[in-house]
Amino acid sequence: MCGIVGFTGNHNVVYDIVLGLTSLQHRGQDAAGIVTFKDYFHLKKGLGLVSQVFEERHFKRLQGNIGLGHVRYTTQGSNDLQNAQPFSANYPFGVAMVHNGNVTNFKELRNKLYHDYHILPETSNDLELILYVFASELIKKDLKDIQPADIFEAVKATQQIVKGAYSVIAVIANHGLLAFTDPHGIRPLVLGRQDSKEGSLYGFASESACFDYLGYELVRDLEAGEIIYIDNNLRLHTSDGYRLEKAFCIFEHIYFAREDSIIQQRLVAAERVKMGRMLANKVKAAGLQPDIVIDVPTSGYFAASGLAEALGIPYRRGFVKNSFIGRSFISPTQKEREEVVKKKLNPIKAVVKGKRVAVVDDSIVRGTTSKRIVKMLRNAGATEVYFISAAPPITNPCVYGIDMAISTELIASSKTHEEICNYIGSDALVYQTIEDLQQLYKTLPCCYACFTGKYPVEDSDKLLSEIEQERMEAKA
Ligand code: SF4
């Protein structure tokens, strides 16, 4: 999971990019980067948060009316500066690129680039492969007179060669801004527009919340495989691209995306409230009678409020979160994750003491965070703790850009419901069901692979085995 933005208009776009990236910081905290184009590419990237990487002096250098930004959450390649995005190539034409997702035929593509085009990628970041495949296709066209149709053909060929989940934004030097998604449309990408006296300004972003800050209007999501190209005269061109069955990542709505974002025409906050309401019947069926509902801040909030409303009992804030410590789910190592949880949350004793508490979290991955939360609530005086997961049991890893864990680390892949409940130490455990989730999303074809093991992209199982093998070897 990463956050990407791209803007083109009639003014210097660097401030739009940096503000956009700040609003997408929750999607990645490992590195941040910006590239703009004026005569040549101006690039600045570094490790850490947007506010740590960029200073005012950088903005003077990052000139141009077109540019891209990226915040990185490492899923492919090591977490070092070399792998930070954006990437660019300057010969035989200039192209810069950012992406969010994960290429699943990574090894095959590296070999193909080397054997077919004599290109040896310099990094272990999969974006470099997308960039070179696209460049190798566009180079087949008349570079002196690149037309939108040429770009669409090059992207379509790229989409057929590159497997996996990817939303991409690119600047083609002296030509325009390009955006496309993988054929299944797994990762989100939205188009925004701002109308001014001088004409329309356009932007692409992982999430619409970014546009709210900038005064852009959300136009729409990119469909699975869709390509949008905005030329230097700010004319918009679209193509269906290479399209397969849509499989939007359901976890964007459960956990990843910001609550104020509208993705796939659904407000994320409202979807989470519905997920919470759906949990009420399961709580009742289990014979549970909580006094209050609390959330694990902050991604459990809307589901908790939906559950409390449906049960007719109060929602209370049971934890205070220290927002200056990163999200536990995306901290790289297990030890770091545990440390983050310990420092991040503090229960409010007066709220939970003497109460039967239903605590709602977005999901249960390894179970270590849930266990710590239950323990904190008991120590704070809760008489009973019912752990409620807004997501169904996660039984399979994600190979599309979410570094959840390998199968053996996912608690629900090997333990029964009762065993999980015992492990986390709760008095009861309630999960969302896949059937209810699919009913809620019956009009939006989604990827549910981390709950079902049915991966939408061909050969995903092969990559999964390779990743698991590598990790097992690294651990040994
Ligand atoms: Fe999203 Fe899960 Fe599919 Fe990964 S496997 S894309 S997290 S739904």
Side-chain angles (χ1 to χ4, degrees):
M1 185 176 71
C2 296
I4 56 173
V5 296
F7 293 98
T8 181
N10 47 25
H11 65 276
N12 196 346
V13 292
V14 66
Y15 288 103
D16 292 8
I17 296 172
V18 80
L19 198 54
L21 286 184
T22 310
S23 70
L24 297 179
Q25 189 75 81
H26 61 289
R27 298 187 69 88
Q29 301 160 7
D30 294 338
I34 291 177
V35 66
T36 56
F37 181 80
K38 184 182 180 189
D39 302 326
Y40 50 90
F41 287 120
H42 307 270
L43 177 67
K44 164 70 186 162
K45 51 189 177 182
L47 299 180
L49 303 175
V50 176
S51 58
Q52 293 167 326
V53 173
F54 294 101
E55 296 170 17
E56 189 62 37
R57 65 191 167 94
H58 300 129
F59 304 144
K60 292 193 179 73
R61 188 170 65 74
L62 292 165
Q63 292 292 311
N65 292 357
I66 186 167
L68 310 169
H70 187 267
V71 286
R72 183 166 194 235
Y73 155 57
T74 309
T75 55
Q76 179 75 60
S78 53
N79 179 24
D80 55 35
L81 189 56
Q82 195 188 23
N83 282 323
Q85 300 183 27
F87 284 179
S88 62
N90 292 310
Y91 180 81
F93 61 92
V95 59
M97 205 174 256
V98 289
H99 94 317
N100 167 32
N102 217 30
V103 172
T104 52
N105 58 341
F106 185 83
K107 286 186 182 164
E108 184 193 311
L109 279 184
R110 278 185 83 91
N111 290 337
K112 182 180 171 59
L113 282 171
Y114 185 67
H115 290 295
D116 295 1
Y117 304 105
H118 311 292
I119 293 169
L120 187 61
E122 291 173 0
T123 73
S124 53
N125 190 305
D126 50 357
L127 174 67
E128 195 183 6
L129 303 176
I130 303 177
L131 188 147
Y132 279 132
V133 171
F134 170 69
S136 305
E137 292 299 324
L138 193 57
I139 221 170
K140 295 174 185 168
K141 312 293 177 191
D142 177 4
L143 293 180
K144 289 193 187 119
D145 184 28
I146 298 175
Q147 297 297 318
D150 299 325
I151 293 167
F152 292 153
E153 278 176 28
V155 173
K156 272 189 213 173
T158 304
Q159 290 168 318
Q160 287 170 62
I161 295 168
V162 179
K163 308 263 187 292
Y166 46 87
S167 288
V168 175
I169 316 176
V171 171
I172 304 175
N174 294 316
H175 287 277
L177 188 68
L178 171 69
F180 59 94
T181 74
D182 69 81
H184 295 282
I186 296 172
R187 295 271 147 250
L189 192 59
V190 290
L191 169 69
R193 184 180 62 211
Q194 189 185 67
D195 293 317
S196 70
K197 281 182 203 150
E198 294 81 25
S200 295
L201 316 177
Y202 287 101
F204 296 100
S206 297
E207 294 183 31
S208 70
C210 161
F211 296 144
D212 296 342
Y213 287 98
L214 298 168
Y216 277 61
E217 166 203 350
L218 169 64
V219 178
R220 64 180 177 85
D221 300 86
L222 270 75
E223 281 306 319
E226 186 177 7
I227 312 165
I228 299 183
Y229 171 60
I230 297 154
D231 66 29
N232 268 358
N233 294 317
L234 301 177
R235 286 179 305 227
L236 189 136
H237 311 263
T238 64
S239 161
D240 283 351
Y242 177 54
R243 183 169 296 178
L244 296 171
E245 195 180 343
K246 187 167 174 171
F248 177 72
C249 171
I250 188 71
F251 240 100
E252 289 284 347
H253 279 176
I254 296 173
Y255 171 73
F256 302 132
R258 277 176 57 140
E259 294 90 342
D260 51 348
S261 282
I262 298 170
I263 305 178
Q264 298 294 331
Q265 299 166 50
R266 294 170 183 236
L267 176 66
V268 173
E271 294 308 295
R272 291 183 187 165
V273 169
K274 288 179 206 161
M275 289 173 201
R277 285 193 199 124
M278 292 190 316
L279 287 161
N281 285 342
K282 300 168 187 69
V283 170
K284 285 181 194 161
L288 306 177
Q289 292 184 319
D291 298 310
I292 55 167
V293 179
I294 67 167
D295 63 306
V296 178
T298 55
S299 49
Y301 168 72
F302 284 98
S305 63
L307 173 62
E309 179 194 298
L311 289 175
I313 60 173
Y315 161 80
R316 295 278 183 267
R317 274 194 72 193
F319 284 102
V320 170
K321 180 183 176 185
N322 182 346
S323 308
F324 299 100
I325 298 174
R327 297 173 85 169
S328 65
F329 191 72
I330 61 176
S331 297
T333 67
Q334 179 64 24
K335 195 164 174 4
E336 279 174 32
R337 270 188 292 274
E338 286 177 19
E339 281 302 306
V340 165
V341 175
K342 199 162 66 183
K343 291 174 186 155
K344 190 166 73 170
L345 296 176
N346 193 30
I348 305 173
K349 288 187 183 142
V351 171
V352 299
K353 193 172 177 189
K355 303 269 187 0
R356 292 167 295 184
V357 177
V359 56
V360 181
D361 204 352
D362 51 74
S363 58
I364 302 172
V365 183
R366 295 167 181 80
T368 47
T369 302
S370 318
K371 185 178 182 148
R372 195 172 280 279
I373 281 162
V374 172
K375 194 173 169 198
M376 282 195 278
L377 290 171
R378 288 204 193 284
N379 288 346
T383 53
E384 294 197 13
V385 180
Y386 313 136
F387 204 94
I388 319 284
S389 166
I394 299 173
T395 50
N396 297 79
C398 177
V399 283
Y400 305 132
I402 311 299
D403 190 22
M404 279 176 177
I406 57 174
S407 300
T408 50
E409 293 168 346
L410 294 169
I411 192 164
S413 72
S414 59
K415 287 191 178 0
T416 64
H417 189 104
E418 198 182 349
E419 285 169 342
I420 298 169
C421 188
N422 285 340
Y423 174 79
I424 67 175
S426 59
D427 297 288
L429 169 65
V430 173
Y431 273 112
Q432 189 71 270
T433 61
I434 185 83
E435 292 78 15
D436 279 355
L437 208 51
Q438 286 174 329
Q439 178 64 21
L440 182 62
Y441 282 81
K442 63 183 174 200
T443 57
L444 176 62
C446 289
C447 172
Y448 298 96
C450 42
F451 313 123
T452 63
K454 290 182 189 152
Y455 294 93
V457 182
E458 62 176 315
D459 293 337
S460 295
D461 295 331
K462 197 172 134 206
L463 174 73
L464 194 53
S465 314
E466 286 170 11
I467 293 172
E468 304 221 328
Q469 184 65 31
E470 279 169 18
R471 293 216 192 159
M472 299 293 263
E473 284 167 11
K475 275 186 170 183

